[in-house]
Amino acid sequence: MDIHSSKILILDFGSQYTQLIARRVREAHVYCEIHPYNISLSAVKLFNPRGIILSGGPSSVYDRGAPTIDKEIFRLAVPILGICYGMQLTSKLLGGSVERSRKREYGPATLFIEDTSALFHGLGKKPLKVWMSHGDRVERLPRGFKSIATSANSIYGAMGNEKSRIYGVQFHPEVAHTEQGERILRNFILRICGLKPLWTMRSFIETTVEDIKRKVGGGKVVCGISGGVDSSVTAALVARAVKGRLTCIFVDNGVLRKGEAEKVYSTLKKNFKMRIKKVDSSRRFFKRLKGVIDPERKRKAIGNEFIRVFEEEAKKLKGVCFLAQGTLYPDVIESVSFKGPSATIKSHHNVGGLLKGMRLTLVEPLRELFKDEVRGVGSELGFPEELVNRHPFPGPGLAIRIIGEVTPERCAILREADSIVLEEIKGAGLYKELWQAFAVLLPIKTVGVMGDERTYECAVAVRAVTSVDGMTADWARLPYDVMQRVSSRIINEVKGVNRVVYDISSKPPGTIEWE
């Protein structure tokens, strides 16, 4: 069974929601890929999609240099759905007209379904709450199209040409704020495009293991594991494909959470019987971090040192030809963004820099998956729930949760405080509800009183957020009794801390991590 033969192509015009469209398609168990809008017509034909979705975007179709597509795409006899900008572009290219709205429409709106189109199958004509984000609107429909929905500010809230199977919606069905948005997308994917829900994590495992076997042949593979679900799932898939020809290298960089090195090592050993080489290089890392304050320099120092350690250990292994790493689909999307790579917010811990010197061939079994899908693969592989649903942990570890210089002493303080945060979150049954929860060691000391004596010690910030995918996040409204226990335990149990504060900023404008 080829799970990639029935697929959707998403053309990206720069919408902040493009990845959400892909997630919704995948949730319908159909494979899809995001490509920049300016992909060539020949590449589209080679991709051979069973349906095409045109994303939204920040431009006006009449802007100079506004992103557009080859008109021939509409003649491929493939169902097409244009979302927001995608609808406006469809209208313009096929002979309709688009004009600036007298009143812009951002946020919630009410959609009135006018026609029992295939796109709205099963929805009746009950008004829907939808999410709008546009300043232009379609004023005249292209020939062969009809209005299938309206809103207070859009005379054509949705349009369709049933014969050509080309549709457009002015709203965003991919966002959670749109009622029945998931059903609308499923109508397009399953009913209009006629696709079968074959994209499951079980089928992915079967296909991927066979792909790895073909690529690696009889070669040997090395994989760096960090303890996160991405690298662990990567290692498990490769191990299944190549049996005893995989060696995993686990580098303890000294900035891991409490008991992390031992836990990761024992979990993988016990559940997957892998060959794992554990290397304690904490002294090397602390030496590299000495005197480093700037967060970007910290990230680079840790990343570069990891490469050096990994390279040294990998070269001790004879006959290794392949390097496995846990690249995810969002990383792939970012590298082909039509706007070019986004501005660097932070560097990422990655072993890709090894390739030039080591001449290894990359094996990236997760490059088609989103984070939640990786977790699904982990569950299918039999990973313990604690590892599958582990909160994201940054590659540079505790180093970017220590504001200021990173030392073994400051790491020890944060490690204990962080452990208490997680213990109390789990004890309260809140761990699964949160995207991340952790402690941050601040570069300040504050005055306090302990045992009738004046103290001047460190302050710790606690951060807990809710999120779907980490792209946006809101601060978690933890119960006061949980916050009280966290604060009391940290102050009483962690020597060197006399104050705890709680971070109530969202993302944006802040980031989830502090550095």
Side-chain angles (χ1 to χ4, degrees):
M1 175 179 63
D2 183 0
I3 56 176
H4 297 113
S5 60
S6 298
K7 54 197 174 186
I8 295 288
L9 171 64
I10 300 169
L11 296 183
D12 179 24
F13 292 89
S15 170
Q16 61 182 314
Y17 302 131
T18 300
Q19 286 195 33
L20 273 181
I21 300 172
R23 290 173 64 87
R24 298 295 174 257
V25 176
R26 299 280 185 91
E27 286 165 4
H29 301 298
V30 171
Y31 182 70
C32 67
E33 288 185 16
I34 298 171
H35 287 268
Y37 74 91
N38 53 7
I39 182 176
S40 68
L41 180 64
S42 59
V44 173
K45 290 179 178 178
L46 186 63
F47 185 80
N48 193 28
R50 291 279 299 277
I52 297 173
I53 297 177
L54 310 178
S55 84
S59 303
S60 166
V61 293
Y62 294 115
D63 287 345
R64 178 181 293 180
T68 189
I69 57 175
D70 192 318
K71 244 171 99 171
E72 290 299 310
I73 285 177
F74 293 102
R75 297 191 177 97
L76 294 177
V78 172
I80 294 174
L81 172 64
I83 296 175
C84 197
Y85 181 88
M87 171 180 170
Q88 295 161 12
L89 183 64
T90 298
S91 180
K92 177 177 179 288
L93 292 177
L94 296 184
S97 67
V98 179
E99 295 181 9
R100 180 71 66 186
S101 300
R102 288 186 293 275
K103 180 182 177 184
R104 296 186 299 175
E105 201 168 23
Y106 293 100
T110 301
L111 186 79
F112 301 93
I113 298 174
E114 292 186 316
D115 188 273
T116 53
S117 159
L119 194 64
F120 297 138
H121 176 79
L123 298 183
K125 291 193 176 182
K126 180 182 177 182
L128 298 178
K129 296 295 182 186
V130 299
W131 190 259
M132 296 279 192
S133 180
H134 66 100
D136 292 351
R137 70 178 190 179
V138 174
E139 290 291 336
R140 188 181 74 251
L141 294 176
R143 181 178 298 177
F145 283 77
K146 64 181 178 180
S147 173
I148 57 177
T150 65
S151 73
N153 196 45
S154 297
I155 54 174
Y156 303 118
M159 66 181 192
N161 183 326
E162 303 284 348
K163 184 178 179 181
S164 299
R165 297 183 297 168
I166 299 174
Y167 301 85
V169 293
Q170 187 57 72
F171 58 95
H172 288 272
E174 69 272 25
V175 304
H177 303 79
T178 292
E179 290 179 345
Q180 301 291 345
E182 182 180 330
R183 177 128 187 215
I184 292 167
L185 287 172
R186 284 175 180 258
N187 278 341
F188 175 72
I189 298 160
L190 305 179
R191 180 172 292 273
I192 296 170
C193 298
L195 293 172
K196 302 294 184 185
L198 302 176
W199 174 256
T200 65
M201 293 307 95
R202 180 169 295 179
S203 63
F204 169 83
I205 291 170
E206 294 170 358
T207 303
T208 301
V209 168
E210 291 305 312
D211 287 345
I212 295 171
K213 286 180 180 177
R214 281 192 294 271
K215 183 169 186 175
V216 172
K220 294 182 179 179
V221 188
V222 65
C223 178
I225 56 173
S226 64
V229 68
D230 302 341
S231 62
S232 299
V233 168
T234 296
L237 286 171
V238 175
R240 181 173 287 200
V242 305
K243 305 302 181 186
R245 289 176 283 117
L246 167 69
T247 300
C248 295
I249 298 176
F250 179 61
V251 179
D252 183 352
N253 56 16
V255 288
L256 298 174
R257 279 175 157 162
K258 186 176 181 179
E260 184 120 39
E262 297 77 13
K263 188 182 297 182
V264 170
Y265 183 80
S266 61
T267 297
L268 293 177
K269 267 285 192 184
K270 176 183 176 183
N271 290 277
F272 301 101
K273 297 179 172 42
M274 300 177 184
R275 182 186 298 118
I276 303 176
K277 187 173 185 180
K278 187 167 68 170
V279 184
D280 185 353
S281 300
S282 53
R283 286 189 179 183
R284 288 181 59 166
F285 280 88
F286 282 124
K287 185 176 180 180
R288 289 273 294 169
L289 290 167
K290 185 175 178 60
V292 178
I293 305 295
D294 179 74
E296 190 63 13
R297 284 186 59 206
K298 285 182 191 177
R299 291 175 179 274
K300 288 179 178 177
I302 291 171
N304 291 338
E305 194 63 22
F306 178 86
I307 288 173
R308 291 189 185 95
V309 175
F310 190 91
E311 184 175 25
E312 289 169 11
E313 297 300 324
K315 283 182 176 178
K316 295 176 185 177
L317 305 171
K318 294 182 179 179
V320 173
C321 304
F322 297 89
L323 169 66
Q325 68 176 22
T327 305
L328 301 191
Y329 194 46
D331 302 321
V332 176
I333 296 169
E334 179 67 20
S335 69
V336 297
S337 168
F338 83 86
K339 293 181 177 180
S342 62
T344 299
I345 296 175
K346 56 189 178 184
S347 299
H348 291 279
H349 185 111
N350 195 300
V351 296
L354 289 166
L355 292 177
K356 185 177 180 181
M358 296 179 67
R359 297 176 183 174
L360 298 178
T361 301
L362 265 183
V363 176
E364 298 175 304
L366 307 182
R367 63 181 284 111
E368 297 172 340
L369 302 188
F370 289 100
K371 189 78 170 186
D372 55 326
E373 292 174 318
V374 175
R375 288 178 170 144
V377 173
S379 294
E380 284 287 344
L381 289 170
F383 275 46
E385 185 177 338
E386 183 179 5
L387 182 55
V388 170
N389 293 313
R390 179 179 183 265
H391 286 180
F393 187 63
L398 298 180
I400 58 167
R401 293 176 180 173
I402 295 175
I403 314 302
E405 185 178 8
V406 180
T407 65
E409 295 74 24
R410 299 191 79 206
C411 250
I413 291 174
L414 180 58
R415 191 173 284 117
E416 292 301 321
D418 183 73
S419 177
I420 289 171
V421 171
L422 291 179
E423 283 177 18
E424 291 299 332
I425 292 295
K426 290 176 181 177
L430 299 172
Y431 189 81
K432 287 186 179 180
E433 296 178 19
L434 302 175
W435 177 261
Q436 274 177 275
F438 54 88
V440 178
L441 185 61
L442 304 182
I444 57 173
K445 289 190 174 183
T446 69
V447 174
V449 177
M450 289 183 175
D452 295 327
E453 291 185 5
R454 182 179 183 276
T455 61
Y456 191 57
E457 294 180 332
C458 298
V460 164
V462 174
R463 177 77 157 146
V465 299
T466 58
S467 179
V468 174
D469 50 23
M471 296 172 67
T472 61
D474 194 14
W475 62 278
R477 276 65 171 173
L478 296 181
Y480 287 160
D481 60 327
V482 174
M483 297 173 76
Q484 188 274 330
R485 285 198 300 273
V486 168
S487 175
S488 178
R489 284 194 60 194
I490 290 175
I491 291 171
N492 283 290
E493 297 176 28
V494 182
K495 188 176 181 180
V497 178
N498 68 356
R499 190 177 300 272
V500 174
V501 298
Y502 190 61
D503 182 351
I504 60 169
S505 52
S506 60
K507 174 188 178 181
T511 56
I512 295 177
E513 298 289 346
W514 276 45
E515 287 198 339

